[in-house]
Amino acid sequence: LGTYLLILIIPICIGHVYYTKTLSIVYSSTHEENNKLFQHISTVLDERIEEISSMANQIASNHFVTSFQGKANPLEYPYTYSIIETQKGLPNYNTTNEFIYNYYIFFDKSHLVLNNQMAYTYSQFYNIHMSFDELSFEDWYEKATERSLNHSGLYEEVSVTLRSNDITSSMRVIPFYCPLTSYGKSDGFIAIFIPKKEIDSLLSSINLNGNGIVYIENKNGDIITHLSEKECNIKEIQTIVNQNHSHNTFPEILLNGEKMVVTTTETSNYTYVAIQSENVVLKKAHDLKIIQIVVFLLSGLIGILVAFTIVGCVISVVSFKWE
């Protein structure tokens, strides 16, 4: 019996050590794979943002734009021609760059919004062309002005309602702001909107099976955008991640009673966070564990059957000799 147990226990111990090592390898490979994906996403996104920044700078330095900044009453005769003249001199990025939805130039002095296709007063723009859900124009404009002066890249996504030819539609966009300066002071800003789906398409390479979540955070702590398998309170999740932030090799958090594995990659501009179900991450390891349990049970069953067979044979032999 002792020899049998020894032979059975040694493989079990070896299997346990192997399983523990496998867990470490699976965790490590998951984080390594996510980090590689995030590095690729970061490279692509930085290139796109660099293009957008170049567009904004070109618009801000456009001769027609700088000239229009000095006009206080362009809607009054004989200055109305300046609106058409400025529009004709503006670039059309809609056909050359699919990554952006559109751009808008906000002129504080004249209280006009222009691009190469439309011209509205501030109030008309909000009431007729585009409005921002859950925000008044004044609140949005104040926040956008402040952020344009920081000129620090992308900010959190916002839901907008678009109106065109009596057709209303909604979409989520990610804004990029650039200030307009005239004689050394701010005179409005340029807002460039990126459709959320464009950035989400980059994040879709992360495995989100099993209630996974991935998001991008800027240096101000704003979540630019997030992608998840199910609806979630991303602000609450961000708080949980920050509160449980750990420098451990394999950080974990608990969401709705489920263990989730967190991968965080920080770049010079943004922080990328992937939250994945432990069950999904450790699927291979769990499969190995099941195999080990099955092998253990089969070994035990076979061992018991062999033991009973041997004991039966011994008893039969002894009984035969006794007779």
Side-chain angles (χ1 to χ4, degrees):
L1 178 62
T3 304
Y4 169 71
L5 291 176
L6 185 63
I7 294 173
L8 186 62
I9 290 173
I10 290 176
I12 292 174
C13 292
I14 294 174
H16 176 71
V17 172
Y18 181 68
Y19 175 70
T20 304
K21 184 65 175 176
T22 301
L23 286 179
S24 177
I25 293 172
V26 171
Y27 271 120
S28 180
S29 62
T30 298
H31 286 284
E32 185 178 346
E33 180 182 352
N34 286 341
N35 283 326
K36 286 182 179 178
L37 288 172
F38 280 146
Q39 290 296 337
H40 172 70
I41 293 169
S42 172
T43 300
V44 174
L45 188 58
D46 286 347
E47 289 176 355
R48 296 288 185 272
I49 295 173
E50 186 65 30
E51 292 174 4
I52 292 173
S53 179
S54 177
M55 292 177 192
N57 291 331
Q58 288 176 9
I59 294 171
S61 59
N62 183 287
H63 167 70
F64 296 98
V65 172
T66 55
S67 297
F68 196 83
Q69 284 180 255
K71 295 179 173 59
N73 301 301
L75 293 176
E76 296 180 4
Y77 181 82
Y79 306 114
T80 51
Y81 75 91
S82 62
I83 296 177
I84 299 173
E85 183 182 48
T86 302
Q87 284 183 301
K88 287 182 178 180
L90 292 174
N92 183 6
Y93 291 123
N94 304 66
T95 58
T96 59
N97 194 317
E98 297 180 356
F99 192 71
I100 68 170
Y101 165 69
N102 213 334
Y103 71 88
Y104 300 91
I105 311 172
F106 292 80
F107 295 94
D108 278 352
K109 195 165 187 177
S110 59
H111 277 233
L112 283 181
V113 186
L114 294 179
N115 63 22
N116 63 308
Q117 300 169 326
M118 46 73 66
Y120 291 108
T121 63
Y122 280 5
S123 59
Q124 287 175 335
F125 174 81
Y126 191 79
N127 295 321
I128 299 174
H129 183 69
M130 176 186 289
S131 59
F132 303 90
D133 292 2
E134 302 177 359
L135 285 174
S136 66
F137 178 78
E138 290 74 18
D139 290 340
W140 174 82
Y141 189 80
E142 181 180 355
K143 185 181 292 186
T145 301
E146 179 183 347
R147 290 175 170 177
S148 70
L149 295 175
N150 293 332
H151 198 36
S152 57
L154 303 180
Y155 285 91
E156 74 264 25
E157 62 184 81
V158 60
S159 181
V160 299
T161 300
L162 306 170
R163 302 175 184 85
S164 177
N165 299 324
D166 297 326
I167 298 175
T168 301
S169 61
S170 297
M171 71 182 299
R172 296 194 71 82
V173 296
I174 298 166
F176 177 95
Y177 302 112
C178 175
L180 285 178
T181 55
S182 177
Y183 307 107
K185 66 176 183 178
S186 174
D187 186 34
F189 61 89
I190 300 165
I192 299 178
F193 295 122
I194 304 166
K196 171 181 165 64
K197 64 179 182 180
E198 294 294 334
I199 295 182
D200 285 354
S201 66
L202 298 176
L203 299 178
S204 62
S205 56
I206 302 293
N207 183 1
L208 299 182
N209 293 333
N211 302 325
I213 304 158
V214 60
Y215 64 84
I216 305 176
E217 179 182 314
N218 66 14
K219 294 303 179 183
N220 297 320
D222 301 319
I223 294 180
I224 294 171
T225 188
H226 77 279
L227 189 62
S228 60
E229 192 177 58
K230 295 182 179 180
E231 288 292 326
C232 64
N233 186 336
I234 191 61
K235 294 290 187 182
E236 181 180 329
I237 291 172
Q238 181 192 31
T239 301
I240 294 173
V241 170
N242 292 339
Q243 288 176 346
N244 292 272
H245 181 70
S246 172
H247 295 288
N248 295 335
T249 307
F250 311 122
E252 293 180 341
I253 62 171
L254 201 63
L255 287 182
N256 300 320
E258 183 180 3
K259 280 188 177 182
M260 308 292 282
V261 179
V262 180
T263 302
T264 302
T265 301
E266 294 187 13
T267 66
S268 57
N269 298 311
Y270 304 101
T271 299
Y272 300 81
V273 179
I275 305 169
Q276 297 169 297
S277 170
E278 186 182 58
N279 292 328
V280 173
V281 171
L282 300 181
K283 186 178 183 305
K284 293 180 180 179
H286 288 327
D287 291 344
L288 177 61
K289 185 177 182 179
I290 292 172
I291 292 172
Q292 288 180 340
I293 292 173
V294 170
V295 170
F296 169 70
L297 293 175
L298 287 176
S299 299
L301 179 60
I302 293 172
I304 293 171
L305 290 175
V306 170
F308 272 107
T309 301
I310 293 174
V311 171
C313 291
V314 171
I315 293 174
S316 299
V317 171
V318 172
S319 299
F320 177 76
K321 287 184 177 182
W322 183 261
E323 292 176 359

